[in-house]
Each structure stands twice: as structure tokens, then as C-alpha cells.
Amino acid sequence: MESTQILKLNIQEDGVALVEIHRPEARNALNLELRQTLSETFQALNQNPAVRAIVITGGEKVFAAGADIKDFTTATTAQMYLRHTEQYWQSLVDCSKPIIAAVNGYALGGGCELAMHADIIIAGQSAKFGQPEVKLGLMPGAGGTQRLLRAIGKFKTMLLVLSGKFISAEEASQMGLVSEVVEDENTIPHALELAKTIASFSPIAVQQIKEVTNLGQDLSLQGALTLERKAFQILFDTQDQKEGVNAFFEKRPAQYTGE
Ligand code: CAA
């Protein structure tokens, strides 16, 4: 496993990359160095053809306790603007490969926002989610209000962002913020297994599914359905599509090459 001080990266032979945030002394708080490293890592993983699915985790104890509050103590508006932290998040947004967040412990503020940059969220039963920025005289600044709104609707979003309360994995799951809740010790193994399954499929099909689903959220239904239909049709020009259909009739596992 390749390891930097704050981020560990393991690219497995099955096409799954495991990215692990490692700042235990600060509950994995996302300081600027960590955000920059995360951004560079996701750019590299996106460009690496051997990587077909990515799992992001904070390890067994905590996912991430949000932005590093130490960065906020004396910051002025101009300094916050000039940090342009949106550029770091954008690398995750631009990642065409599926991202699974494996959440144990707290996913708060920027940590919850980080989880929401994933496509699937697997939570351990003891995980806790929240947007507590309001308690700091702040508000979410990396998609907390808007991604929550789209995931769980106005009234649950308002409850979380205005009260700053923490919710359990089970509550988050019922709201639609979490894809699956598993035993704590199974969070990362389950996410890796799911990523392995996704990585075994045609990467073109997988990436089209991700792109259309994400884009469709902000389009009219008619526009989104048209986009879906066009993407569906494009897949008929891939060898993987022929392989998938032939393998079905030949009753054998498909071998996808990404072509
Ligand atoms: N930033 C910097 N340091 C943090 C931190 C954060 N977000 N969260 C925890 N830490 C540090 C603590 O200061 C403490 O450091 P010391 O040992 O040096 O005192 C250490 O991590 C352990 O923290 P606790 O003793 O508080 O640990 P706990 O297990 O009792 O509680 C916790 C854990 C519930 C996560 C609590 O630390 C907490 O509430 N953290 C802050 C959560 C928060 O407000 N997040 C939002 C940040 S703002 C944001 O994210 C903006 C945005 O949208 C981009």
C-alpha cells in the first residue's frame, strides 16, 4: 500500500482503488493539504485505465469530521474566496468512474459533503451524518444544502442544516442519504466487494450510467430521458455490448475489455 502522511492509496488487481483518509489526530478533518491531495489522487485515478471503481473511506473509526476548523479561525472573506476550494471538489465531480463512500463513524460537514460526492454510500451501523456548520456561525459550503436537497428533499434537508443535528446510519438510510447499512466491521469489505462487481462490468457502460444518472438530476424529465436514450444507443457501438449479449447466450461470464 502506497502511503502518504494523510492519504493512503491501494490500487488492487481487480480494478478497484481504495483511497483512505488518514488524519486520525484531527478526526480526518479536511485541511487544505488533504483536499489538494484528494483532488490530485482522483485526477490520477480517473486517468488510470487500470482503475474501474473507487472506494473512499476514512478507515474503521471516522469518515471525516468536516473542514479543518483551524483553517477558519482568522480567515477573511477574500482569503476564503482566493482558496478556491471548489477546484479540489471538482476533481471528484469530474471523475467518470464510480465512487463508493465507505462510511464508519462521523461524516460531518465537509465529511458528509465528501460522502455525497460519491455515487453509492455504504454506512456502518454506528455511522453518524450531519451538517453542523450552523453551530459554528457558518453554513455548508461544499454542496451540503444543495446535494442534500436533491438527495432527501427540502424538509429533511432543512432539519439537518438548520439544527446541525447528527443522524444515525439507519435514519440516513431511511431519508435516502445512504445506499446500504452494514455491520461496522463489514463497511469497507462490503464496499470493496461491491466495487469489484462494478469493476467487472463494461467500463463504458458503467461510466455512461453514472454520467446520465448524475446529469439527469438537473435536467427536465424529457431532456433526461432523451439523454438516457442516446447514451443507451451509443453503447451498441461497443465491443463490450456485443460481448455481454453473446456471453449471456453462450452461458459464460462476459470478458469486458473496455472497447
Ligand atoms: N477540524 C479540526 N479539528 C477537528 C475537527 C475539525 N472539523 N473535528 C475534530 N477535530 C479535532 C479536535 O479539535 C480534537 O483535537 P485535540 O485532540 O487537539 O483537542 C480532536 O480532533 C478530537 O476531537 P474531539 O475530542 O472533539 O473528539 P470526539 O470523538 O469527542 O468528537 C466530533 C468527534 C463529534 C467529530 C467532534 O470533534 C466535532 O464535533 N467536530 C467538529 C465537527 C464540525 O463542526 N464539522 C463541520 C466543520 S465546518 C465544514 O465542514 C464547512 C464545510 O462545509 C466545507
Side-chain angles (χ1 to χ4, degrees):
M1 179 173 285
E2 189 186 317
S3 172
T4 64
Q5 200 188 349
I6 49 176
L7 202 68
K8 297 180 190 175
L9 173 64
N10 184 20
I11 300 179
Q12 302 180 167
E13 283 186 0
D14 56 13
V16 175
L18 177 64
V19 178
E20 183 175 338
I21 301 169
H22 189 66
R23 283 193 76 210
E25 73 287 356
R27 299 291 187 271
N28 286 343
L30 304 162
N31 63 5
L32 285 177
E33 186 192 1
L34 184 48
R35 287 181 208 204
Q36 200 167 4
T37 312
L38 259 177
S39 169
E40 287 163 3
T41 302
F42 270 83
Q43 279 177 32
L45 293 176
N46 200 27
Q47 283 165 16
N48 184 343
V51 174
R52 293 189 175 189
I54 302 165
V55 173
I56 177 149
T57 186
E60 307 291 339
K61 296 205 170 110
V62 61
F63 185 70
D68 193 314
I69 300 169
K70 285 194 184 122
D71 289 345
F72 294 164
T73 46
T74 58
T76 64
T77 298
Q79 285 165 343
M80 289 304 287
Y81 172 76
L82 290 169
R83 281 178 194 172
H84 286 297
T85 49
E86 68 279 4
Q87 67 187 306
Y88 305 130
W89 294 108
Q90 197 59 36
S91 305
L92 278 78
V93 173
D94 290 341
C95 183
S96 54
K97 299 168 186 182
I99 304 171
I100 301 177
V103 179
N104 280 319
Y106 293 107
L108 304 176
C112 187
E113 289 167 320
L114 176 61
M116 286 193 286
H117 276 75
D119 304 301
I120 294 173
I121 302 178
I122 305 297
Q125 61 192 359
S126 309
K128 295 248 181 298
F129 294 80
Q131 296 287 161
E133 291 90 340
V134 69
K135 296 184 195 168
L136 301 170
L138 270 171
M139 64 176 287
T145 60
Q146 300 311 306
R147 285 202 174 83
L148 265 183
L149 190 58
R150 284 158 177 75
I152 66 175
K154 172 179 166 178
F155 297 103
K156 295 291 189 190
T157 297
M158 288 292 193
L159 180 66
L160 293 187
V161 295
L162 290 177
S163 73
K165 71 183 274 191
F166 300 167
I167 54 167
S168 68
E170 198 49 56
E171 286 173 285
S173 176
Q174 282 165 16
M175 289 180 187
L177 175 57
V178 159
S179 314
E180 278 184 290
V181 181
V182 297
E183 303 279 313
D184 288 334
E185 58 278 12
N186 205 20
T187 313
I188 298 171
H190 183 67
L192 287 172
E193 199 52 43
L194 187 58
K196 182 181 171 181
T197 301
I198 295 170
S200 74
F201 297 142
S202 162
I204 307 182
V206 164
Q207 290 176 30
Q208 289 271 13
I209 290 169
K210 169 169 173 161
E211 190 175 16
V212 168
T213 306
N214 278 333
L215 273 176
Q217 279 198 111
D218 297 324
L219 297 178
S220 68
L221 180 59
Q222 198 51 44
L225 289 172
T226 304
L227 178 69
E228 182 195 67
R229 195 167 61 250
K230 299 293 170 198
F232 170 75
Q233 290 159 356
I234 282 170
L235 292 175
F236 283 79
D237 206 25
T238 65
Q239 289 174 27
D240 278 352
Q241 182 271 323
K242 301 294 176 259
E243 165 65 8
V245 172
N246 288 335
F248 174 78
F249 286 115
E250 289 163 18
K251 302 189 189 305
R252 62 171 174 83
Q255 297 297 325
Y256 294 114
T257 61
E259 288 166 19

